[in-house]
Amino acid sequence: MERHLHRMAALLAAHGVDAVPCHLGQLEYRADGVHVAGRRVDLVHRWFVVNDVLTGADAALPAPLTEAADRGAVCLFTPLENEVYGSKAALALLSDERDRSLFDRSERALIDGLLPWTRLVRDGRTEAAGERVNLLRYALAHREELVLKASSSHSGLDVLAGWETSAAQWAAAVRAAVDGPVILQRRVRPVAEDFPAPGGGTAEPTVLTWGEFLAGHGYGGTYLRGTTDLDTGVISSGKGGRLGTLFLVDDA
């Protein structure tokens, strides 16, 4: 991430923001606040994700920053608690029939209209297609209609599409995922949209993923991932996907 952070810091500098790219281990915690490279820090923008915390030494690094933020010594723009909402496991909580009573009729309609069937991978019984089934047996029998996803991964990583996987590989992956941070989700067959080709070419059929951001006062922006491979299981730059953003134009 280092090169990317330096580029972001240069862009922020153009707007009068003095941003210092650094590793979490480079922060110093003093009585008057948090410092880096001899300067006191007003705000920390976290870029690492929970999946980056791999060892015990890694896990020890966020604690003093969190403690400093809790006592008001620094503002933390993206606390680790945000990861709860970014986890795909939260989608399993919304989808699971055991939680249906927690939502009113309009909320259930919204969930059903937006979210495909999603479950944490557990060896037990659940509802699928209107029936009570054993989740693992169901997953093995419906491989071509399901996908496995790591709950806290991102950018199309750690995704296994059943329809792109052999029966043996799929069975091994499902069994390995039991009781882990992995979800099983029903396949979505996207509708292609005509989208301008790079360099100003004519529009071509493209499968798009729209990522909407909500900030404190509402709409905060959109990013796009897209591919012209209409049968792809994952839209990612590693598989030839293109990345972009969205600009709003005032018709007036």
Side-chain angles (χ1 to χ4, degrees), residues 163-219:
W163 59 97
E164 296 182 340
T165 309
S166 71
Q169 290 174 319
W170 176 255
V174 169
R175 294 189 179 103
V178 174
D179 293 332
V182 182
I183 64 165
L184 185 70
Q185 195 168 65
R186 188 173 306 284
R187 177 183 184 178
V188 173
R189 299 178 184 271
V191 176
E193 305 176 51
D194 286 337
F195 196 77
T202 57
E204 53 190 339
T206 306
V207 175
L208 298 172
T209 293
W210 299 75
E212 304 284 348
F213 290 92
L214 296 179
H217 299 287
Y219 176 73

Side-chain angles (χ1 to χ4, degrees), residues 2-22 39 41 43-47 77-78:
E2 185 173 2
R3 290 177 60 190
H4 182 66
L5 292 179
H6 280 279
R7 183 163 179 258
M8 292 298 298
L11 292 171
L12 288 169
H15 294 277
V17 178
D18 183 15
V20 183
C22 70
R39 286 177 285 180
V41 177
L43 180 145
V44 172
H45 185 177
R46 173 180 63 88
W47 282 77
F77 176 62
T78 45

Side-chain angles (χ1 to χ4, degrees), residues 49-143:
V49 296
V50 168
N51 282 20
D52 296 327
V53 182
L54 301 175
T55 68
D58 292 340
L61 290 174
L65 176 60
T66 300
E67 292 166 2
D70 287 344
R71 66 174 186 269
V74 70
C75 291
L76 187 53
F77 176 62
T78 45
L80 281 166
E81 295 92 295
N82 288 14
E83 297 282 327
V84 173
Y85 301 99
S87 171
K88 298 178 185 69
L91 301 179
L93 293 176
L94 290 174
S95 177
D96 199 311
E97 80 278 2
R98 292 175 298 181
D99 301 322
R100 298 284 286 183
S101 62
L102 300 175
F103 307 105
D104 63 30
R105 182 180 299 177
S106 62
E107 289 170 333
R108 289 194 293 268
L110 179 63
I111 292 168
D112 294 341
L114 290 174
L115 180 63
W117 179 93
T118 307
R119 295 292 187 272
L120 287 166
V121 183
R122 302 290 185 263
D123 187 2
R125 297 183 67 79
T126 190
E127 180 276 331
E131 299 180 1
R132 294 290 296 174
V133 299
N134 175 274
L135 181 64
L136 298 189
R137 286 199 290 269
Y138 181 84
L140 298 182
H142 296 82
R143 169 176 56 85

